[in-house]
């Protein structure tokens, strides 16, 4: 009887300490919260409590950009879930493993773990996680520049959000859709979706973490810059950065610094842009965001082009090329070939120019970045786009002209365009 009471006290203490850590974390006392949770992890004999505290540690390390530690705790959580022999715990732990790999830009691993989650036969709780699984998988496909599959996953995630009235998930999906359309250069949609996310934060986010507001403001800033609305971009980015600094969100700080640098480059103020690129690169390297590093290096290269320093631009491009090839990021490679094309044309080096023109078109073909109706490329300039229910993307004007009786790419019948 005494042993039973001790065990019950252990469970209660575990729960109390986890809650204490959450309160510290929510009041921005992150290191104190981590100390509390690590102590719980060390001392608790309650497997369910251990699983929950590992979830807290995974989330905290994700938001701080300590992705390798995030992965380490995710692996321990998998072992705990197996010990508990509960399919819901196992699904959640595989989702955290997928997210850890997504943050580390290990996109193939992310997709593999997400598929494991979706194949598990859990309860209703597991089914509710499927929206988050689809979102993570979509982000991974986007990292690999596999646009149709990325959009398909985002649509599924949005459907789960609507069916379960999950406004937080809807907010996150809208931000990812904004990122998706930024890549494809439909800047109206790239702005629409994070604006929708900001509306969700305003209407439903009273008790949410401020990270949702910061995230929507950041993606609005990116879209505004692409549209040439630099004052609006700066205002949104400043608000996002303010929240990121308050909460010690290193990954978002790096993204905001990159956006600030891009804004200054758009103003042709490269001397102000360079130190912001340097600061962003420092954090991106520290946290292991290789996709972000590619974006920084391409921004720096464009600054050197403005400065009429093509050889320095090519140095940055070479580093970006190595990273993009390592990640399998085809869009990064396409941007690299496009930049090199301009540089070698200006230098009058015809052999190198032809080489990059050929590789550019190979990337376009590989990513299927062309409209199946008019045959023109997608993503080379700002065009309004529309997806069909099969997730193939076309120029909106082509669909309006030719109708949507069937997809020219996959021949699947379609009655109306998809909602994203």
């Amino acid at each position: 009887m005494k042993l039973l009471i001790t065990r019950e006290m252990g469970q209660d203490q575990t729960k109390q300490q986890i809650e204490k850590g959450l309160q510290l974390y929510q009041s921005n006392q992150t290191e104190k919260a981590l100390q509390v949770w690590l102590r719980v992890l060390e001392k608790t004999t309650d497997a369910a409590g251990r699983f929950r505290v590992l979830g807290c540690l995974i989330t905290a390390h994700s938001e701080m950009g300590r992705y390798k530690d995030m992965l380490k705790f995710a692996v321990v959580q998998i072992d705990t879930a197996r010990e508990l022999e509960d399919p819901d715990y196992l699904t959640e732990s595989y989702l955290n493993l997928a997210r850890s790999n997504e943050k580390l830009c290990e996109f193939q691993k992310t997709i593999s773990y997400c598929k494991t989650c979706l194949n598990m036969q859990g309860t209703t709780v597991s089914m509710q996680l499927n929206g988050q699984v689809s979102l993570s998988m979509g982000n991974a496909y986007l990292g690999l520049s596999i646009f149709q599959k990325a959009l398909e996953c985002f649509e599924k995630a949005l459907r789960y959000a609507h069916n379960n009235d999950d406004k937080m998930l809807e907010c996150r999906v809208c931000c990812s859709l904004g990122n998706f359309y930024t890549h494809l250069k439909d800047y109206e949609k790239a702005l629409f979706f994070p604006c929708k996310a900001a509306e969700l934060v305003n209407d439903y986010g009273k008790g949410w973490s401020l990270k949702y507001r910061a995230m929507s403001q950041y993606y609005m800033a990116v879209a505004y810059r692409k549209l040439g609305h630099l004052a609006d971009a700066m205002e949104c980015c400043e608000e996002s950065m303010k929240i990121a600094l308050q909460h010690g969100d290193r990954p978002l700080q790096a993204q905001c610094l990159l956006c600030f640098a891009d804004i200054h480059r758009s103003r042709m103020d490269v001397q102000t842009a360079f130190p912001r690129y340097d600061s962003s690169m420092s954090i991106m390297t520290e946290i292991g965001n290789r996709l972000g590093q590619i974006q920084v290096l391409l921004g720096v290269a464009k600054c050197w082009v403005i400065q009429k320093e093509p050889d320095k631009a090519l140095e940055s491009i070479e580093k970006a090329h190595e990273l993009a090839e390592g990640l399998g990021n085809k869009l990064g490679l396409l941007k690299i070939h496009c930049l090199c094309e301009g540089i070698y044309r200006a230098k009058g080096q015809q052999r190198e120019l032809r080489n990059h023109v050929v590789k550019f078109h190979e990337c376009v073909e590989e990513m299927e970045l062309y409209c199946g109706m008019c045959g023109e490329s997608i993503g080379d300039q700002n065009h309004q786009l529309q997806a069909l229910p099969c997730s193939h993307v076309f120029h909106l004007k082509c669909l309006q002209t030719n109708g949507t009786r069937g997809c020219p790419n996959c021949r699947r019948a379609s009655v109306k365009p998809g909602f994203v």
Side-chain angles (χ1 to χ4, degrees):
M1 184 68 182
K2 188 176 180 181
L3 284 172
L4 181 64
I5 292 169
T6 304
R7 186 175 67 82
E8 288 295 320
M9 282 178 66
Q11 286 176 336
D12 289 343
Q13 286 171 349
T14 296
K15 186 177 179 181
Q16 287 167 7
Q17 289 300 302
I18 290 172
E19 291 303 319
K20 179 184 175 182
L22 283 169
Q23 288 170 10
L24 287 166
Y25 188 70
Q26 286 161 4
S27 61
N28 291 331
Q29 298 181 67
T30 304
E31 291 302 329
K32 286 184 179 178
L34 292 178
Q35 287 170 15
V36 170
W37 288 332
L38 287 168
R39 195 160 53 244
V40 171
L41 187 62
E42 182 187 348
K43 294 186 176 181
T44 187
T45 55
D46 174 35
R50 191 185 320 129
F51 183 91
R52 190 178 171 215
V53 80
L54 282 162
C56 293
L57 287 163
I58 288 163
T59 300
H61 283 85
S62 172
E63 292 183 357
M64 290 186 292
R66 297 179 188 173
Y67 298 143
K68 288 180 181 176
D69 288 329
M70 179 189 180
L71 178 60
K72 180 183 73 177
F73 289 120
V75 170
V76 176
Q77 195 184 47
I78 286 270
D79 294 336
T80 306
R82 288 185 179 130
E83 182 186 329
L84 287 161
E85 296 182 339
D86 185 309
D88 290 338
Y89 284 129
L90 206 53
T91 302
E92 186 178 335
S93 60
Y94 268 107
L95 172 58
N96 283 328
L97 199 54
R99 282 176 173 163
S100 303
N101 279 283
E102 179 199 328
K103 299 296 186 185
L104 288 164
C105 301
E106 296 287 352
F107 299 126
Q108 295 290 2
K109 288 182 182 178
T110 303
I111 292 163
S112 176
Y113 289 128
C114 284
K115 285 179 178 176
T116 302
C117 288
L118 294 173
N119 289 333
M120 283 183 180
Q121 299 298 313
T123 64
T124 310
V125 177
S126 289
M127 294 298 288
Q128 287 173 351
L129 290 176
N130 282 352
Q132 296 179 46
V133 174
S134 295
L135 174 59
S136 190
M137 194 186 293
N139 289 334
Y141 277 126
L142 188 57
L144 294 169
S145 311
I146 304 173
F147 295 107
Q148 187 203 357
K149 287 188 176 180
L151 188 59
E152 201 174 293
C153 290
F154 293 147
E155 285 185 314
K156 283 180 184 173
L158 206 52
R159 208 171 298 124
Y160 280 117
H162 289 161
N163 292 343
N164 294 293
D165 198 30
D166 188 338
K167 302 300 182 187
M168 282 188 186
L169 176 59
E170 186 179 350
C171 179
R172 289 169 58 204
V173 177
C174 283
C175 288
S176 286
L177 282 166
N179 191 27
F180 176 90
Y181 281 108
T182 296
H183 286 337
L184 293 187
K185 296 193 177 181
D186 181 346
Y187 298 139
E188 285 74 13
K189 272 193 169 74
L191 180 60
F192 169 81
F193 283 106
C195 283
K196 174 66 177 172
E199 283 177 22
L200 289 166
V201 172
N202 289 334
D203 293 344
Y204 302 99
K206 193 175 180 182
W208 296 5
S209 164
L210 279 171
K211 73 177 182 182
Y212 289 95
R213 179 167 184 77
M215 186 168 56
S216 62
Q217 291 295 315
Y218 165 74
Y219 284 108
M220 284 167 65
V222 172
Y224 274 131
R225 187 192 74 81
K226 294 286 190 179
L227 286 163
H229 303 164
L230 301 184
D232 292 326
M234 185 63 81
E235 186 179 332
C236 290
C237 199
E238 282 173 348
E239 184 167 352
S240 183
M241 186 61 154
K242 182 180 175 184
I243 297 169
L245 288 168
Q246 285 172 349
H247 288 260
D249 188 333
R250 299 283 282 164
L252 186 56
Q253 289 170 30
Q255 288 177 294
C256 287
L257 284 163
L258 170 59
C259 189
F260 283 135
D262 286 340
I263 291 167
H264 289 298
R265 175 171 56 79
S266 296
R267 290 173 170 167
M268 306 300 281
D269 183 2
V270 295
Q271 295 307 321
T272 309
F274 275 131
R276 282 150 184 80
Y277 282 128
D278 288 344
S279 298
S280 178
M281 190 63 167
S282 177
I283 300 173
M284 296 282 193
T285 305
E286 171 198 322
I287 66 179
N289 184 350
R290 288 172 287 164
L291 209 53
Q293 290 173 48
I294 294 168
Q295 291 176 294
V296 172
L297 287 164
L298 291 179
V300 169
K302 289 172 184 176
C303 282
W304 287 125
V305 170
I306 292 168
Q307 294 274 72
K308 293 185 169 50
E309 295 272 10
D311 292 333
K312 289 183 178 178
L314 288 169
E315 284 176 25
S316 288
I317 289 168
E318 189 178 339
K319 292 174 187 173
H321 187 271
E322 188 179 332
L323 286 165
E325 282 222 312
L327 289 179
N329 180 241
K330 300 181 195 74
L331 187 64
L333 291 169
L334 181 142
K335 289 178 178 177
I336 285 163
H337 296 311
C338 186
L339 259 176
C340 286
E341 186 184 329
I343 290 169
Y344 286 119
R345 179 172 280 112
K347 286 166 77 81
Q349 295 179 224
Q350 295 303 315
R351 187 165 61 86
E352 290 84 354
L353 170 60
R354 281 194 299 273
N355 181 39
H356 285 287
V357 169
V358 169
K359 287 182 177 177
F360 175 85
H361 287 292
E362 283 174 357
C363 286
V364 170
E365 286 292 323
E366 198 175 346
M367 289 186 284
E368 297 184 357
L369 275 180
Y370 49 84
C371 176
M373 289 187 173
C374 69
E376 295 295 320
S377 60
I378 285 172
D380 61 337
Q381 56 184 301
N382 186 11
H383 276 302
Q384 284 187 289
L385 304 173
Q386 181 62 59
L388 295 182
C390 57
S391 297
H392 281 119
V393 177
F394 301 87
H395 293 128
L396 177 61
K397 64 181 182 184
C398 295
L399 288 176
Q400 290 170 337
T401 303
N402 300 304
T404 57
R405 285 172 293 180
C407 174
N409 288 12
C410 63
R411 304 299 173 192
R412 192 183 300 179
S414 62
V415 178
K416 59 182 180 179
F419 55 86
V420 298

